[in-house]
Amino acid sequence: MVQKLCSANPHLQSQQQPQRHHPPPSHAPAVVGSSLGQRACVICKSAPYDATRESLFCGYACLKKAEAMAPGIIEIPMGHPKFRNIAHQFTQKWLHTNVAFRPPKHIYIVLQSASQKASYARYKAKVEREGNFVANGRTEGNENRRFHGSTRQCRLGDPGNTQLCSNSNCPLCGILRTSFDLAFFKVKTGFARFGRGHYTTATSSKSDSYSTNGSTSSYKAIIMTKVVVGRGYKMTQNAQTLTAPPTGFHSVLGEPVQGGKLNYDELVVYDNDAIRPAYLIVY
């Protein structure tokens, strides 16, 4: 085992979430055309989005409407800077040479409630107070975007399919509906390398190996998450009994090194409020 402080976050994995009991399907509307085209706010579609922040919303009022519409997804226009930014990260981090690359075809923002946002923000602020990451040129709480693959029992994200399903056996919709929850932790591969936690990865092609369809579709889907990494504890060997990062750290970074157990990176967090589903990538 290698023990090392790491405030950067270049590393992580993906695992599936198990069965959940879902409420009825959400009713977030799909994006429709507007005279503003790809410059339109994805909620009102009558005002331009905030280009200064590359936001998907025109302002605070539509942001609050989006929260009220949660849970659900709304498609991001292909020409939007946010689409290009996410697609670029997905493309650049497809590292498996033995798996054919599949480019993103549709990207959706995951709608979150005000309470989900608030609890995540409180956790991020706490980690920031403990690590002073902003003062060192990093994001608040050392927040990063990472990929997570899961099973999709429905066809959510396929063209014309924007409603979360109510199938309790659909881990993807369960995560998008209620976010990540350790109460539903499940080991898909037969073991959890770094114990009971939420697994993500910087490598999109690694998440692809965890993305499976339970129904017929020509598309696959993975989640892009936002993760509060904080102080990352680097590890190169298995530690399957972990239920929390070592004292003084906020996450575990699985490092692929010669002689180690990993071929590609992993990031594990052990608090439900350290991670949120942010975007759904369909490819």
Side-chain angles (χ1 to χ4, degrees):
M1 179 185 300
V2 176
Q3 303 181 20
K4 185 176 180 181
L5 174 64
C6 180
S7 294
N9 175 22
H11 304 298
L12 331 119
Q13 168 180 329
S14 66
Q15 286 186 337
Q16 171 185 343
Q17 301 294 315
Q19 297 184 359
R20 300 165 183 254
H21 298 290
H22 297 168
S26 64
H27 299 286
V31 173
V32 298
S34 117
S35 59
L36 289 168
Q38 296 175 340
R39 295 185 298 110
C41 165
V42 297
I43 298 297
C44 69
K45 307 177 188 67
S46 61
Y49 64 76
D50 185 344
T52 302
R53 296 183 298 112
E54 293 187 356
S55 172
L56 293 164
F57 311 110
C58 58
Y60 181 76
C62 281
L63 175 63
K64 299 307 289 184
K65 286 181 182 178
E67 292 176 352
M69 291 161 56
I73 60 172
I74 293 183
E75 187 163 6
I76 302 173
M78 188 171 287
H80 193 285
K82 188 75 71 177
F83 185 105
R84 294 195 296 267
N85 180 267
I86 294 168
H88 177 75
Q89 183 175 344
F90 180 91
T91 301
Q92 292 297 109
K93 290 299 183 177
W94 191 280
L95 304 181
H96 287 63
T97 57
N98 62 332
V99 180
F101 173 69
R102 297 160 58 111
K105 297 296 186 181
H106 304 275
I107 299 177
Y108 304 83
I109 183 173
V110 178
L111 302 179
Q112 299 175 36
S113 68
S115 61
Q116 285 179 323
K117 287 183 176 180
S119 57
Y120 178 76
R122 285 193 298 269
Y123 179 83
K124 182 165 62 173
K126 171 182 174 292
V127 172
E128 175 59 32
R129 290 192 298 271
E130 295 171 356
N132 297 312
F133 301 100
V134 173
N136 290 293
R138 303 191 184 281
T139 56
E140 182 183 2
N142 193 20
E143 178 189 68
N144 280 258
R145 298 191 316 200
R146 291 298 180 259
F147 303 106
H148 177 91
S150 188
T151 296
R152 181 178 62 147
Q153 295 290 357
C154 59
R155 297 178 62 192
L156 182 72
D158 286 13
N161 291 269
T162 59
Q163 306 302 316
L164 274 63
C165 77
S166 56
N167 185 346
S168 62
N169 294 313
C170 184
L172 178 68
C173 284
I175 293 170
L176 299 186
R177 189 183 303 280
T178 63
S179 189
F180 293 85
D181 190 342
L182 285 170
F184 300 103
F185 176 77
K186 180 179 178 181
V187 179
K188 182 176 182 180
T189 59
F191 80 107
R193 192 182 304 278
F194 300 117
R196 185 172 180 266
H198 299 303
Y199 286 73
T200 57
T201 179
T203 307
S204 56
S205 53
K206 180 169 185 171
S207 278
D208 171 73
S209 68
Y210 291 88
S211 172
T212 57
N213 287 327
S215 60
T216 303
S217 175
S218 59
Y219 296 90
K220 297 186 73 176
I222 63 174
I223 299 169
M224 175 177 275
T225 69
K226 291 184 178 180
V227 188
V228 178
V229 182
R231 294 191 183 100
Y233 185 88
K234 289 185 179 180
M235 303 185 74
T236 62
Q237 304 297 325
N238 298 344
Q240 295 176 239
T241 61
L242 285 178
T243 57
T247 302
F249 295 83
H250 305 100
S251 61
V252 165
L253 302 179
E255 293 277 339
V257 297
Q258 186 173 4
K261 296 294 185 180
L262 288 165
N263 294 322
Y264 296 92
D265 61 89
E266 298 180 2
L267 166 67
V268 190
V269 291
Y270 301 85
D271 190 301
N272 289 339
D273 286 328
I275 183 171
R276 288 290 183 268
Y279 304 99
L280 179 66
I281 303 172
V282 176
Y283 58 103

